[in-house]
Amino acid sequence: MPGPPPDFDLACAVALGFVEHPRLVVNLHQLTLLDQRGQPAATYRDWLSQLDKLHIVVREFLTAKTSAQQATAQSTGFGSAGWGMAAAARTRDGANSKAISLKAEARQHLAERGVFVRAKGLGLRVNL
């Protein structure tokens, strides 16, 4: 019998790095719940709602972080030189700036929804 659906607001806090949850693995495309042995117990694909403002901000944050990582990989890859490295650095810096502002916006939404209080009540580590 499947358990109750996960707390998607808490999953957003995990995705943003505000909360550490030992049984929750979160990325842009899926949310995975782990059992006590660390094995996947349930997977929720496309877990971010397109109607929820917090979920929209988290999706944009995760996309910006991915863009920054890809730009970094391009600038340090074989054959990278001069103008290409500079363009990749600008792309990376722009994506990181966007991610920082989105993370601040998401933090406000999470605080308003009481996610940090719930996480502390569950004994989870909260990094604000």
Side-chain angles (χ1 to χ4, degrees), residues 47-58:
W47 64 280
L48 290 165
S49 167
Q50 295 184 13
L51 303 175
D52 187 314
K53 178 65 176 166
L54 172 62
H55 290 216
I56 293 168
V57 171
V58 171

Side-chain angles (χ1 to χ4, degrees), residues 88-110:
R90 280 192 304 276
T91 301
R92 180 196 63 228
D93 292 345
N96 280 332
S97 294
K98 182 177 180 179
I100 289 167
S101 65
L102 289 166
K103 189 171 183 176
E105 182 181 347
R107 182 176 188 240
Q108 183 178 0
H109 288 295
L110 291 165

Side-chain angles (χ1 to χ4, degrees), residues 1-30:
M1 180 171 152
D7 181 342
F8 289 112
D9 287 351
L10 182 60
C12 288
V14 171
L16 292 159
F18 289 127
V19 175
E20 295 178 27
H21 196 300
R23 293 192 184 162
L24 201 55
V25 179
V26 183
N27 64 40
L28 179 60
H29 305 290
Q30 73 182 28

